[in-house]
């Protein structure tokens, strides 16, 4: 789980949450890749802070308490290009997000 505070500032560059082979090999490879992303808006910005998906032309404006879920991989394990996303600049206030990446297998033993 990652908690992020986003203050007033620049856009986030587009990124994908799946791990390329070299990073996957160094990060719990037996757990598989990040196949799904779950982001919860803990506090919305008073202005800005959307999440854009440039491949699909979709932009989502997070609101406090809302969750956004998207698949980083297709069911066959191939990369989902539509999952490319970028955080839009916060123009007023601050935004708090909690993000969890769901892996293909168990990440930590319980």
């Amino acid at each position: 789980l990652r908690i992020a505070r986003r203050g007033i500032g620049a856009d986030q560059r587009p990124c994908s949450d799946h791990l390329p082979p070299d990073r996957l090999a160094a990060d719990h490879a037996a757990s598989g890749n990040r196949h799904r992303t779950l982001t919860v808006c803990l506090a919305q910005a008073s202005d800005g802070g959307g999440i854009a998906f440039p491949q699909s032309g979709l932009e989502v404006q997070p609101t406090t308490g809302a969750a956004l879920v998207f698949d980083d991989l297709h069911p066959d394990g191939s990369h989902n290009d539509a999952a490319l996303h970028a955080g839009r600049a916060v123009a007023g206030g601050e935004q708090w997000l909690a993000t969890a990446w769901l892996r293909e297998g168990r990440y930590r033993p319980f």
Side-chain angles (χ1 to χ4, degrees):
L1 184 65
R2 179 178 154 230
I3 306 293
R5 175 195 166 272
R6 299 186 65 226
I8 296 173
D11 289 346
Q12 172 193 32
R13 65 182 176 82
C15 64
S16 295
D17 290 341
H18 81 287
L19 300 174
D22 59 328
R23 286 201 42 219
L24 179 59
D27 183 20
H28 295 84
S31 300
N33 215 323
R34 297 171 175 171
H35 74 91
R36 184 166 291 139
T37 297
L38 166 66
T39 299
V40 178
C41 182
L42 303 175
Q44 68 192 60
S46 58
D47 189 18
I51 301 171
F53 293 85
Q55 298 291 333
S56 63
L58 177 68
E59 185 162 335
V60 178
Q61 186 61 47
T63 57
T64 301
L68 175 65
V69 179
F70 56 92
D71 290 327
D72 301 302
L73 302 176
H74 292 293
D76 67 2
S78 64
H79 175 238
N80 180 5
D81 291 334
L84 182 74
H85 59 283
R88 295 290 189 218
V90 171
E94 63 183 22
Q95 179 182 61
W96 287 83
L97 302 170
T99 301
W101 295 287
L102 305 177
R103 302 284 284 248
E104 294 172 300
R106 186 175 290 211
Y107 188 75
R108 292 190 179 110
F110 290 103

